[in-house]
Every structure is written in structure tokens, then in C-alpha cells.
């Protein structure tokens, strides 16, 4: 492990002890995970970027 990894781990542990993560929005709620298994692995990032910006391929809209 390098130095930055150790510093980050220490800060996370300190925040956990202080309770900084206790009142985050969405805590205790289920996450809506998206099934991207139908998209090739090398295209998933591009798909997410397009989806988040509001542009989806036409075939995805047709499947809905």
C-alpha cells in the first residue's frame, strides 16, 4: 500500500468513529442498481454517460 492509501483509510476510520456517516441522505434505503449485463463491458461507461445526459440509443427506447 502506498502513503495516500493509508491516509485515506485513516480519514475514513476517523470519520466512522466521529459519526460523520450517520446522517447521510438515503441511509438505510435500498439502492436502485441498474442491470447493465446486456451492455458489453467496454461500452458501459459510455452508456452511463449518455443516459445521465438524457441521450439514449434508439433501441433502448424501443425496448421500453
Amino acid at each position: 500500500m502506498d502513503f495516500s492509501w493509508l491516509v485515506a483509510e485513516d480519514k475514513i476510520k476517523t470519520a466512522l468513529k466521529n459519526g460523520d456517516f450517520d446522517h447521510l441522505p438515503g441511509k438505510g434505503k435500498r439502492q436502485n442498481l441498474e442491470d447493465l449485463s446486456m451492455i458489453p463491458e467496454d461500452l458501459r461507461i459510455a452508456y452511463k454517460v449518455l443516459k445521465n445526459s438524457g441521450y439514449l440509443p434508439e433501441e433502448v427506447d424501443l425496448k421500453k
Side-chain angles (χ1 to χ4, degrees):
M1 286 191 253
D2 60 344
F3 180 71
S4 61
W5 178 271
L6 294 174
V7 170
E9 284 291 317
D10 184 51
K11 289 188 179 225
I12 291 171
K13 287 178 184 176
T14 303
L16 280 171
K17 285 181 190 174
N18 294 338
D20 294 340
F21 299 129
D22 290 343
H23 303 291
L24 294 175
K27 181 181 178 195
K29 297 179 183 174
R30 293 190 93 195
Q31 290 182 338
N32 294 331
L33 298 178
E34 201 172 350
D35 181 23
L36 298 177
S37 61
M38 68 214 168
I39 299 171
E41 192 171 328
D42 57 333
L43 297 177
R44 289 181 187 163
I45 297 290
Y47 174 81
K48 292 290 286 184
V49 169
L50 286 172
K51 183 176 181 228
N52 289 340
S53 64
Y55 297 100
L56 283 176
E58 186 177 341
E59 61 266 8
V60 175
D61 286 334
L62 292 175
K63 287 181 181 179
K64 289 182 181 180

